[in-house]
Amino acid sequence: MLASLALLAALTALPLFIPPFWTANILGRAIAYGIVAMSLTFLATYGGFVSLAQTMMGGVAGYVAAVLVPDSLPSLVGGVPYAAAVPIALLAATASGLLIGAIAVRTQGIYLLMITLALAMGFHLFAQANIAWFNGYEGIRNVVGPEVLGRPFRDPFVFYYAALASAALLYALVLYVVRTPFGLVLQGLRDNARRVNALGYHAALHRIAAFGLAGFIAGCGGLLVTFYNIGITPGSIGLGPTVNVLVMSVIGGLGHPIGAFIGALIFTLFDTFAADLYDRDRFNTLVGLVFLLIVLASPDGVLGVAKRATAAED
Amino acid sequence: MEGSLAVTVALNGLTLAALYFIVASGFSLIFGLMRTVNMAHGSLYLVGAYVGYAVFEPLYDRDAWWAWYAGVGAGIAAAAVFGLAMQAALLGWMQGQELRQALVTIGVSIVAADQLLAVFGGNPRQFFPPDALFGATELPGLGRYPTFRLVQIGVAVAVGLGLWLLLNRTKLGLMVRAGVDDRQMLTALGVNVPLVSLAVFALGAGLAGLGGVIGGSAQPFAQGVDVRFLLTSLVVVIVGGMGSVAGTAVGALLVGMAEQIGQALFPTYSVILTFLIMAAVLALRPQGILGRPA
């Protein structure tokens, strides 16, 4: 708890000392993607579901907002102020999470991974083919985000602090939820579904609700990413970005929600500076190899490495 | 005219289903024995297609009549070797850790897609099969229909029959079926299960490679096709039932037909039809239409 608050204070003060590029394009972006990754870490750590639908849920929020808000190009509905569009978008993301949960609830493990991947790719292909609601391949541009205290969302500090505040609140929410009776039942289901069932809990409902919460979290991240990119395209919810979320979560470590942010930060640093380390065009090879290396060497990610290192010292 | 359009759509669905069956049967075979969800199955498809093309093209330029057949052989061999290497180097020793295996194959598919892009570039390519397979055939009541699409159905039927014979009439098939039921017991009986696994992986990967060349002859292929065929394989085996050849055939038929009928009736929403089928099957029969309960 104290460590978390200290970290939050440090992250709050940090933009005063670093260039704006770092504030928005590295830390801010890492936090926004970290929120999407935390949605997966929450499901995986406490529910035992490794899902590939996180980017899709975030994309649902992004697309709903893009369709509704004023000034987006092309304007499909338009005219709905951000104060209304953002909650509607989050509601839609939560609903998509509940729906995915309802479809996937009877499956587990790799089946769940396959089904969520299939759903995510289906949504991606649908968005790419549909002109009426998604503007097809080009997606929707000029989704600038709300003004905060008279400053545009694009301002590095506004974006950074909005992302940081969302991340802190959602992080606290996850840590709170897993201590509630609901969270305890969820962890019980992960460890021994039969026994929890026998105690009279409704397993399917708990799982669906967990997906709903994951949808809400991913929706928050998806909105931030959409505002950061000033729009949304089908490409941003394709296989690459879908897998990237899993890569971030696994690199950081599926064991604690903080792992998602560690993974997202490492990923973003790679994404930004890989060009200096290695052939610019072969970024994906590098990411793929790093991912492979981590899965092969330390399935529990950086967190696992840290845990083993401290255990070895004792 | 209406009637013949319906027949054409149905025939298109059937030929698409044939291609899906060839690719997905390999996926299903690997899953059946090893419980490995091979997320690099689309990459195997693309490896088969590109390597097959690399062998095919110079021969085709020299007018060798066997260029296409050499391409088929090379595509199958390349995918099989790639799959073999994957199983031998990465997946074999983590047998039983299903999720980790899936993650490893995701990593492989990321690297493979990027390296294929580096080596072969982003331009679409297409095989030209020999004239005997490529022209148009006069079908009664329908008119001219691309011969190669009929060949596609023939290949799928041959693959299906071959797999059935292999699984039900050979020693290897016996071991595979026993391994699906009880892997540990099979090991205890003295069968070298890792070796059987390697053979099955090579076979499944080779089928993906075969699909790559066949699919690349029916229509152009390029980067990104790997995603489409991974997705299709996933949906086909989820719908049909994991590890069952007949289930894969049923799944491929349903998905192929749904795609073509959807495209004919409501073009931009056709993807949804496929996923409605998947969701319905999952809701009613989570193990798939012909799958056995886990």
Side-chain angles (χ1 to χ4, degrees):
Chain A
M1 185 70 195
L2 267 181
S4 303
L5 287 178
L7 179 66
L8 185 60
L11 285 174
T12 309
L14 202 54
L16 300 175
F17 308 105
I18 56 177
F21 172 79
W22 273 78
T23 304
N25 298 45
I26 294 189
L27 289 178
R29 188 155 68 109
I31 292 172
Y33 279 106
I35 293 175
V36 182
M38 184 176 70
S39 161
L40 169 59
T41 308
F42 160 70
L43 282 181
T45 305
Y46 302 106
F49 314 114
V50 178
S51 141
L52 277 171
Q54 261 55 33
T55 304
M56 171 190 174
M57 302 177 198
V60 167
Y63 265 114
V64 168
V67 166
L68 291 178
V69 297
D71 302 328
S72 60
L73 294 171
S75 186
L76 296 169
V77 174
V80 179
Y82 276 95
V86 167
I88 295 173
L90 292 178
L91 210 62
T94 311
S96 77
L98 292 171
L99 184 66
I100 292 167
I103 293 174
V105 70
R106 292 174 69 180
T107 59
Q108 270 169 351
I110 36 176
Y111 292 89
L112 186 91
L113 191 78
M114 291 164 68
I115 287 158
T116 49
L117 176 63
L119 288 171
M121 288 302 95
F123 182 66
H124 157 70
L125 293 174
F126 178 55
Q128 193 164 291
N130 187 278
I131 304 287
W133 290 102
F134 298 90
N135 195 33
Y137 194 79
E138 289 193 3
I140 302 171
R141 288 166 290 132
N142 204 36
V143 184
V144 292
E147 284 194 357
V148 180
L149 304 174
R151 298 175 80 169
F153 207 80
R154 259 176 312 201
D155 180 295
F157 294 100
V158 171
F159 174 68
Y160 175 79
Y161 285 114
L164 183 62
S166 315
L169 287 174
L170 291 169
Y171 181 73
L173 177 72
V174 167
L175 290 186
Y176 167 74
V177 162
V178 298
R179 287 199 184 88
T180 60
F182 164 72
L184 294 175
V185 172
L186 199 63
Q187 291 167 70
L189 284 168
R190 173 199 63 194
D191 296 336
N192 193 333
R194 279 177 65 110
R195 205 178 288 178
V196 178
N197 265 330
L199 286 171
Y201 290 103
H202 198 307
L205 276 184
H206 280 84
R207 289 184 172 145
I208 293 173
F211 267 92
L213 178 60
F216 177 78
I217 298 171
C220 294
L223 275 183
L224 286 166
V225 171
T226 304
F227 296 154
Y228 173 81
N229 291 325
I230 321 181
I232 185 162
T233 61
S236 69
I237 55 166
L239 183 71
T242 296
V243 169
N244 285 350
V245 169
L246 181 70
V247 172
M248 290 175 205
S249 296
V250 170
I251 288 180
L254 295 170
H256 191 274
I258 197 71
F261 294 101
I262 297 174
L265 181 63
I266 294 174
F267 187 91
T268 311
L269 286 172
F270 256 120
D271 192 18
T272 314
F273 297 111
D276 305 332
L277 296 172
Y278 190 63
D279 188 353
R280 176 184 295 274
D281 294 332
R282 296 281 73 80
F283 167 67
N284 273 329
T285 298
L286 188 65
V287 166
L289 288 176
V290 169
F291 177 69
L292 256 181
L293 202 69
I294 288 192
V295 176
L296 291 173
S298 170
D300 43 5
V302 174
L303 278 183
V305 173
K307 203 178 277 174
R308 275 193 295 278
T310 42
E313 272 175 27
D314 291 340
Chain B
M1 188 61 213
E2 272 299 300
S4 85
L5 181 69
V7 175
T8 306
V9 169
L11 208 51
N12 284 348
L14 199 62
T15 55
L16 191 63
L19 177 60
Y20 287 173
F21 172 74
I22 297 170
V23 180
S25 62
F27 184 88
S28 180
L29 203 62
I30 291 172
F31 181 85
L33 180 66
M34 283 158 285
R35 304 275 125 184
T36 302
V37 174
N38 180 15
M39 295 284 189
H41 201 67
S43 311
L44 292 170
Y45 176 96
L46 212 49
V47 165
Y50 273 120
V51 174
Y53 191 83
V55 170
F56 160 80
E57 197 189 12
L59 291 170
Y60 183 76
D61 288 344
R62 285 193 287 136
D63 281 331
W65 65 269
W66 43 277
W68 187 75
Y69 299 99
V72 172
I76 295 175
V81 168
F82 192 93
L84 208 59
M86 219 159 67
Q87 169 72 10
L90 298 173
L91 299 173
W93 55 269
M94 53 174 79
Q95 179 61 43
Q97 304 175 48
E98 300 163 351
L99 203 57
R100 197 170 172 202
Q101 288 182 323
L103 295 179
V104 166
T105 54
I106 286 178
V108 170
S109 72
I110 298 173
V111 176
D114 203 44
Q115 286 302 317
L116 285 173
L117 178 66
V119 176
F120 294 101
N123 290 335
R125 287 148 209 259
Q126 186 169 13
F127 290 92
F128 300 104
D131 291 340
L133 308 180
F134 201 56
T137 304
E138 204 74 35
L139 289 184
L142 192 66
R144 291 161 67 78
Y145 194 76
T147 310
F148 191 76
R149 291 183 166 242
L150 302 175
V151 173
Q152 221 167 297
I153 299 180
V155 173
V157 170
V159 166
L161 273 179
L163 280 180
W164 186 83
L165 284 175
L166 180 79
L167 287 175
N168 291 295
R169 290 283 182 275
T170 67
K171 187 96 187 290
L172 179 68
L174 192 73
M175 289 191 280
V176 170
R177 281 184 295 137
V180 170
D181 288 339
D182 194 335
R183 206 187 155 89
Q184 277 187 317
M185 195 60 216
L186 187 65
T187 313
L189 288 172
V191 174
N192 188 345
V193 177
L195 198 64
V196 176
S197 299
L198 277 175
V200 169
F201 216 105
L203 180 63
L207 284 171
L210 173 65
V213 179
I214 299 285
S217 308
Q219 33 179 280
F221 65 95
Q223 309 292 335
V225 171
D226 49 347
V227 179
R228 190 184 142 205
F229 278 91
L230 169 63
L231 178 65
T232 307
S233 301
L234 288 175
V235 176
V236 164
V237 297
I238 290 171
V239 169
M242 306 271 180
S244 141
V245 176
T248 309
V250 171
L253 265 177
L254 268 176
V255 173
M257 285 291 185
E259 226 168 82
Q260 287 297 323
I261 292 172
Q263 264 169 21
L265 295 181
F266 29 87
T268 71
Y269 294 91
S270 68
V271 180
I272 291 188
L273 190 60
T274 310
F275 286 89
L276 279 181
I277 293 178
M278 190 182 91
V281 168
L282 281 172
L284 301 172
R285 237 183 115 74
Q287 71 271 35
I289 293 175
L290 292 184
R292 286 179 300 178

